[in-house]
Amino acid sequence: MVRTFCGSRGPHRWPAAVAVFVCHFAAAAFAAESEQVDHAAALDQCNRELSECRSGASTSSARLHGHSTPPPWPEGYGKLLKFPFGMSDMKALKEFARVLWQPDGTAATIHDEVTDRGFARRLNARCTSEMVGVHPVGGPGVRWSAQLWGDAQDWCLSQPECTGIMLYVGKHTLNCHHWCGRPQFCNGEIRGEDGTEPSAEWNLFVRASQPAS
């Protein structure tokens, strides 16, 4: 089987396989030429955009350099901040801040041997009969105050089984966060050293009227 192939020299008769090959080759050459044209157009577009970008950057740079010198820094800028209240001693500053935060002092500053509600102080001691989970007054992060201390004593006096109050006086930051403003209570008999145990971080206040044995 043969086919006619039309070229510049007139019609020629070619075998079918040769004609197909020639047609495919011609189509591929045409596609490659079209692709080159597309690439060239894209390159021209990129070059135009690059020129516009450079032109804009030059204009912005010229505008920037046309400004006058920047304003001076504010007076005192760059100097170290002064210590609050004129205190350069950090320890003294912390103590002063503590006084501002706790104007009524802390549990550690209670100096009454016996409070006005009849609770006797025992330094560095805890009771052995803690009312576990019973915290009707204060809470974690609560600031110590005279009002809180009064409420704790009043609550204990209102409970027949309450025999004492434990107050945290330690200096451990995390423990203080949880317990400095949250008293613990006792419900067991406290007679002399009986019913107590030593503790460097707690003070115990024993209720005057103990429940009958």
Side-chain angles (χ1 to χ4, degrees), residues 84-99:
F85 311 106
M87 296 182 180
S88 59
D89 186 336
M90 291 302 296
K91 184 176 181 180
L93 184 60
K94 288 180 179 179
E95 291 297 328
F96 186 69
R98 186 175 291 111
V99 171

